[in-house]
Amino acid sequence: MDVDSLPFSSKQLLRLLDSQGISGTWEWHFASDQHVWSSGLFRILGLDPQTTRPSYELLIGLVHPEDRGRMASGAGLIGAMSQEKQTIRVIRPGGSNRVLSLRSEIHLAPDGRPQGIAGSVLDVTERENLRRALAAERRRRRALFDRTRTLTFSNDPDYAYTFTEEAYELTGLSPEETADDAFLAIVTEEREHWRAVSLAAHQVGQVYTMKPVLYIAGGKRERFEIFTVPIVDGRGQVVDWSNLARPLGTRGSPPVGMLLKGLEQAIAGRHLRAARALLDWSMSDLARAAGLSLSTVKRMEEHPDGTAQQSRHKAMETLRRFGIRFSVMDDGLIAVGHR
């Protein structure tokens, strides 16, 4: 959704968006030099409608300096029929940035003279943040594949796989072929064995590894190792599976994204106790190093499933920083080591 979608929205939806500070409108009546902003626009800009006098100059002043040159001046607005849709950044008084989608249109008198201008604003910050995050993830994924031929992919609990373009490039298979059988890249003589291994692990929701020989584009064969971890929700139900595949013997890169989340969810209290023992740490030592309370560390070791994801991540990141390594073994067990 962007600002062009607003004219086609229901009045009820428009009122809801405005009340939530997601969209807003503004008007400038030229003859009286009166500026009218909706409550939603004040919220988007982080301004108090009781103490703020709206004006076009104020709006321009909030625009990020790098984007300000693309905004028309007041005189420029009066002489234009409409403004093309724009996406700009604003800096709110508190210092936070928002990304806005804008459009405006001139209102004319019967004799053709410009009477005023009205504009629509939609806050698209989260959409832009998501777009940038996805683009960064694609670049990271591509760089990892180009360097080590390591790739990631996912599948849901119903065994529907989502492969990346790197997977198709590696195997030479098409999306249509893998849609019929996600195990088609495994050589025929090993395919059913590894399918059974995967199915058994999925049935109990446990971390597992496979080391199949894959068909590689160009008629080659090569043995890969594939690490698969379940992603669970707050109720402990598996909602997704994250997979990493790399040539056997490739030196691993630190896990990131959903793979890291799944691995951290699989760490049990006994793994944390083993990690502390290798460092000769008490629970207080871990709490202090990770910036957590002692009670949080105790809960993490006694009832890890009930610990907040953020706290678990801080503890795991701290242990890794001090040399602890958690490795998935061939039988799906997690080993704890110290480099």
Side-chain angles (χ1 to χ4, degrees):
M1 185 176 188
D2 61 23
V3 72
D4 283 345
S5 306
L6 294 179
F8 305 101
S9 302
S10 68
K11 291 182 179 180
Q12 291 84 354
L13 177 58
L14 291 174
R15 283 196 294 268
L16 176 62
L17 294 176
D18 193 275
S19 69
Q20 297 296 314
I22 298 172
S23 74
T25 59
W26 59 275
E27 298 177 10
W28 180 10
H29 304 281
F30 298 144
S32 62
D33 196 28
Q34 180 185 15
H35 295 261
V36 180
W37 289 2
S38 72
S39 59
L41 182 55
F42 280 104
R43 289 191 182 93
I44 289 173
L45 299 177
L47 299 173
D48 183 352
Q50 302 301 320
T51 60
T52 303
R53 182 178 179 180
S55 70
Y56 186 69
E57 288 74 19
L58 175 59
L59 179 60
I60 292 294
L62 293 172
V63 175
H64 193 287
E66 295 178 3
D67 297 342
R68 200 170 294 162
R70 296 192 284 114
M71 297 289 290
S73 64
L77 279 180
I78 295 174
M81 293 302 295
S82 65
Q83 291 290 308
E84 291 296 322
K85 181 184 69 177
Q86 291 180 303
T87 300
I88 56 97
R89 293 164 293 172
V90 297
I91 303 175
R92 303 201 288 192
S96 61
N97 287 11
R98 306 303 293 175
V99 182
L100 309 181
S101 180
L102 312 175
R103 182 181 285 282
S104 59
E105 185 175 355
I106 290 286
H107 292 168
L108 301 177
D111 61 4
R113 290 182 295 108
Q115 286 185 317
I117 187 168
S120 297
V121 178
L122 184 68
D123 189 336
V124 295
T125 305
E126 302 310 320
R127 186 195 71 184
E128 290 300 304
N129 288 344
L130 177 60
R131 182 187 62 80
R132 286 193 290 268
L134 291 174
E137 171 59 19
R138 284 194 295 270
R139 290 192 298 270
R140 184 202 65 79
R141 190 178 66 212
R142 185 71 220 186
L144 183 61
F145 179 74
D146 288 342
R147 188 171 67 251
T148 64
R149 289 188 301 151
T150 296
L151 54 88
T152 58
F153 54 97
S154 64
N155 63 278
D156 65 21
D158 295 324
Y159 254 67
Y161 279 76
T162 301
F163 291 107
T164 63
E165 60 184 22
E166 289 81 13
Y168 298 121
E169 182 178 331
L170 176 74
T171 63
L173 296 172
S174 69
E176 293 74 23
E177 290 172 312
T178 55
D180 292 334
D181 186 355
F183 288 77
L184 201 59
I186 299 177
V187 296
T188 305
E189 57 270 28
E190 295 186 9
R191 189 176 303 154
E192 295 311 314
H193 166 72
W194 293 116
R195 194 195 306 275
V197 169
S198 176
L199 181 59
H202 276 63
Q203 288 176 336
V204 296
Q206 76 173 39
V207 176
Y208 68 100
T209 63
M210 302 193 303
K211 295 182 179 179
V213 174
L214 302 184
Y215 291 120
I216 305 299
K220 301 177 182 178
R221 293 183 172 203
E222 187 172 352
R223 191 170 295 280
F224 271 62
E225 55 184 351
I226 302 174
F227 302 89
T228 303
V229 298
I231 309 297
V232 301
D233 60 16
R235 299 173 299 169
Q237 300 296 311
V238 176
V239 294
D240 205 359
W241 294 80
S242 183
N243 307 265
L244 181 144
R246 65 191 183 195
L248 186 63
T250 301
R251 184 175 181 180
S253 300
V256 297
M258 297 304 288
L259 184 71
L260 175 60
K261 179 179 180 179
L263 285 171
E264 290 182 349
Q265 289 179 339
I267 297 299
R270 63 181 181 279
H271 300 120
L272 297 176
R273 289 191 291 272
R276 286 197 297 103
L278 289 172
L279 293 173
D280 195 22
W281 278 8
S282 66
M283 284 192 287
S284 296
D285 293 328
L286 176 56
R288 186 164 44 252
L292 299 170
S293 68
L294 178 58
S295 60
T296 297
V297 173
K298 286 181 178 179
R299 288 197 305 272
M300 201 175 301
E301 293 196 6
E302 295 171 2
H303 306 287
D305 292 342
T307 310
Q309 183 66 32
Q310 185 177 6
S311 297
R312 290 172 61 84
H313 177 70
K314 290 175 71 173
M316 299 287 293
E317 184 64 28
T318 300
L319 292 169
R320 283 192 292 266
R321 192 169 69 248
F322 282 86
I324 294 297
R325 291 293 178 265
F326 300 94
S327 305
V328 180
M329 309 303 288
D330 290 348
D331 55 6
L333 295 177
I334 296 176
V336 184
H338 185 219
R339 66 178 183 184

